[in-house]
Amino acid sequence: MSARVEIRNLSCSFGGQPAVRDVSLALEPGTTTTLVGASGSGKTTLLRCLAGLLAPSSGQVWFDGRDVTALPAEARGVGLVFQSYALFPHLSVADNIGFGLEVRGVDPTERRRRVSDLAEQLGVAKLLERKPSQISGGERQRVALGRALAYRPVLLLLDEPLAALDPNLAESVRDVLLHAIEIERTTVLLVTHDRADALRMGQRVALLRSGALEQIGTPRELYRTPRTEYAAHFFGPGLVLDSVASHRGNISVAETPFGEVSLQPGSAGPVRLLLRPEALRLSDCEGASARVRRASYEGNRCRLTFEADGVTAQLEASPGREFACGDQIRVSIDPDLLVVLPSAPGLPRAG
């Protein structure tokens, strides 16, 4: 049975240096939350505090309304998957998956049934008699996930589960992992440094910065409505422009190097605008004149770097059209994809 997990004002320090600072976070039962941040932001420290492998300096961890802060790791009912797999090399795949069930005294018949079910879910049913050294990295990660899920943990913690895999293999393991989590309906906290994985895999995303919680929300909220410029910068490329909003009849408008753009009604005064590549688009006759500086073809899209009125930016174009350095294009802004940022430092300005 999955748990509702609460982290209340949790801090953890090493040698007097704070690694996690006053973090409060709730994980709803059966949901997946991704925890993302730059290297050294405190992600793994927070995960280890949840697992019971580290004692916090202050704050509490609650499972379903019960304070488990002082409980040792083995008493919390938490499943943990490391990027290094940590499988037992002398045990078969079947025995690795069933290890937690065996130490808990689960009946052998029930143990074999559970191992068989998980092996089918994870695509390793044909590997049950092999040793970890006889299977691939992606298969080892699936086995590690099966071992963590076997005894139905109240919380599953995944520490960079795809980091050791090449991109193509990571894609297939990601799909299997998400499918298994969906079937098991386990509460999950997945730590990653990969912002794309954080957005793809989490129903909610928590961004850590220097040990503190910068923002939490749905993937769409983190990408489309960042509360800080740090969050805006972390989740994707973008150009920040300083402008001034003014009223024009019933609308508010701001001038940019790519033409005039409409803002939310009532906007007035200085504004900071974030233009992600998808917010800029090619136009046939409207918008600003621009010159292509570089065209990078990426399979299903073409990323154009261009200059308009002395400002350099990027947009995503269809790969069906050829572009070359020096081509003249026209560029406009899609106001529905424009982000108005809080007025605080954090991102490089245009120019």
Side-chain angles (χ1 to χ4, degrees):
M1 196 67 180
S2 60
R4 185 178 195 274
V5 176
E6 293 179 79
I7 303 166
R8 300 182 181 178
N9 305 109
L10 192 136
S11 296
C12 188
S13 299
F14 299 104
Q17 296 298 316
V20 173
R21 299 185 291 119
D22 197 29
V23 170
S24 293
L25 182 64
L27 313 178
E28 297 301 326
T31 64
T32 297
T33 301
T34 50
L35 184 64
V36 67
S39 178
S41 61
K43 305 183 299 296
T44 297
T45 298
L46 183 59
L47 180 143
R48 293 174 70 86
C49 287
L50 273 175
L53 301 174
L54 278 178
S57 308
S58 60
Q60 299 169 319
V61 177
W62 292 68
F63 289 0
D64 284 335
R66 182 170 67 108
D67 186 354
V68 301
T69 313
L71 285 183
E74 62 271 16
R76 295 193 182 192
V78 171
L80 185 58
V81 178
F82 298 99
Q83 72 177 75
S84 60
Y85 319 128
L87 299 176
F88 299 112
H90 62 289
L91 296 181
S92 68
V93 166
D95 289 340
N96 264 286
I97 294 175
F99 180 80
L101 299 173
E102 183 177 5
V103 298
R104 287 168 173 79
V106 174
D107 175 77
T109 301
E110 171 60 21
R111 188 165 73 240
R112 285 192 294 271
R113 184 197 63 78
R114 178 65 170 154
V115 168
S116 177
D117 288 348
L118 281 170
E120 285 291 340
Q121 285 182 32
L122 297 168
V124 294
K126 296 181 179 180
L127 308 175
L128 290 177
E129 301 306 315
R130 297 188 189 180
K131 299 291 178 59
S133 61
Q134 298 172 313
I135 60 178
S136 71
E139 290 164 344
R140 287 196 290 271
Q141 190 59 285
R142 297 182 192 198
V143 173
L145 178 62
R147 184 178 63 184
L149 287 170
Y151 58 89
R152 294 186 170 88
V154 296
L155 172 65
L156 177 64
L157 301 173
L158 304 172
D159 190 8
E160 300 275 10
L162 307 177
L165 306 178
D166 68 62
N168 290 334
L169 188 54
E171 186 71 31
S172 64
V173 174
R174 182 187 300 111
D175 292 342
V176 170
L177 187 153
L178 291 174
H179 178 65
I181 289 172
E182 182 180 357
I183 291 175
E184 295 294 321
R185 299 188 61 79
T186 305
T187 306
V188 177
L189 182 67
L190 187 153
V191 166
T192 180
H193 69 280
D194 188 305
R195 64 202 71 189
D197 273 346
L199 296 174
R200 276 190 295 241
M201 300 180 74
Q203 292 160 286
R204 300 178 79 217
V205 180
L207 173 61
L208 281 187
R209 178 187 185 189
S210 301
L213 188 63
E214 184 81 0
Q215 185 175 347
I216 183 169
T218 66
R220 178 179 175 82
E221 287 169 344
L222 268 292
Y223 189 78
R224 291 285 297 119
T225 55
R227 293 179 185 170
T228 68
E229 290 194 16
Y230 180 84
H233 183 51
F234 189 89
F235 284 101
L239 173 72
V240 172
L241 298 171
D242 288 318
S243 187
V244 177
S246 58
H247 295 296
R248 184 172 299 167
N250 295 325
I251 63 172
S252 295
V253 297
E255 291 291 338
T256 80
F258 315 111
E260 191 176 83
V261 64
S262 299
L263 304 179
Q264 290 289 335
S267 299
V271 291
R272 307 202 71 204
L273 309 176
L274 171 65
L275 300 176
R276 298 210 189 272
E278 63 269 24
L280 291 161
R281 59 192 179 190
L282 294 173
S283 299
D284 292 329
C285 55
E286 58 184 24
S289 177
R291 183 181 297 274
V292 174
R293 295 181 60 179
R294 185 171 61 254
S296 303
Y297 288 89
E298 302 174 4
N300 63 345
R301 66 182 180 182
C302 174
R303 187 177 294 270
L304 294 183
T305 302
F306 63 92
E307 183 177 326
D309 195 20
V311 174
T312 301
Q314 293 183 338
L315 62 78
E316 294 177 359
S318 166
R321 178 178 166 186
E322 293 285 341
F323 296 94
C325 183
D327 282 356
Q328 288 292 134
I329 57 175
R330 297 195 71 85
V331 177
S332 62
I333 298 173
D334 184 341
D336 293 333
L337 298 178
L338 179 71
V339 179
V340 180
L341 292 171
S343 296
L347 273 178
R349 291 173 172 83

